[in-house]
């Protein structure tokens, strides 16, 4: 049982560039947008970007949802897809302070989010290189 479930699963792509945006767009626009319909035009509780493919994290999450949907093979995995994957991932994506902050269904994509600031740790806190 576990072997057949594991063998039917598609391995995730190794890199963002391996995700086929045409296939993903078919899933998002043709399935997910209807399955997960929400008010995003006038709501302050949910934000969506019609150009979701401009957001790397949205692309990865939506691809995971697509692959998870393809792996549904019984009622339990169907339930898991909703409870463990679709609802939490979509709630995070639609969070007004999240991925699509500044974007909107009415006004489109706004490229205003910057990468998280990162300061390198001081040398004293860096791990010593492993001995050969
Ligand atoms: Zn956007």
């Amino acid at each position: 049982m576990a072997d057949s479930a594991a063998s039917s699963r598609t391995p995730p792509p190794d890199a963002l560039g391996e995700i086929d945006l045409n296939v993903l767009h078919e899933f998002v626009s043709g399935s997910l947008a209807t399955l997960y319909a929400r008010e995003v035009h006038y709501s302050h509780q949910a934000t969506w970007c019609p150009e979701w493919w401009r957001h790397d994290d949205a692309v990865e999450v939506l691809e995971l949802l697509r692959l998870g949907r393809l792996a549904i093979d019984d009622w339990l995995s169907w339930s898991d897809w909703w409870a463990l994957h679709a609802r939490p991932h979509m709630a995070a994506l639609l969070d007004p302070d999240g991925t699509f902050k500044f974007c909107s269904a009415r006004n489109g994509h706004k490229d205003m989010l910057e990468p998280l600031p990162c300061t390198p740790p001081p040398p004293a806190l860096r791990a010593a290189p492993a001995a050969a």
Side-chain angles (χ1 to χ4, degrees):
M1 290 189 297
D3 289 340
S4 65
S7 64
S8 67
R9 293 189 177 142
T10 305
D14 290 334
L16 189 63
E18 293 183 26
I19 296 172
D20 186 331
L21 285 179
N22 291 320
V23 170
L24 186 54
H25 176 69
E26 286 292 318
F27 169 71
V28 172
S29 66
S31 181
L32 187 66
T34 302
L35 280 172
Y36 212 89
R38 297 292 185 272
E39 168 47 52
V40 293
H41 288 86
Y42 303 101
S43 173
H44 296 285
Q45 314 213 340
T47 302
W48 177 254
C49 180
E51 296 178 46
W52 51 265
W53 38 268
R54 292 182 179 266
H55 302 262
D56 290 350
D57 55 339
V59 168
E60 288 198 2
V61 165
L62 293 168
E63 177 69 354
L64 291 172
L65 290 177
R66 187 186 74 80
L67 293 173
R69 188 90 180 157
L70 291 174
I72 292 173
D73 57 2
D74 61 13
W75 64 269
L76 186 56
S77 61
W78 195 1
S79 176
D80 285 349
W81 184 83
W82 277 103
L84 304 176
H85 305 284
R87 288 201 170 98
H89 283 313
M90 290 305 292
L93 276 181
L94 296 170
D95 183 329
D97 286 327
T99 302
F100 300 139
K101 184 177 180 76
F102 304 119
C103 301
S104 75
R106 283 183 291 162
N107 299 315
H109 176 75
K110 302 290 181 210
D111 195 14
M112 297 173 63
L113 287 178
E114 296 180 10
L116 299 174
C118 297
T119 302
L125 295 179
R126 294 183 192 168

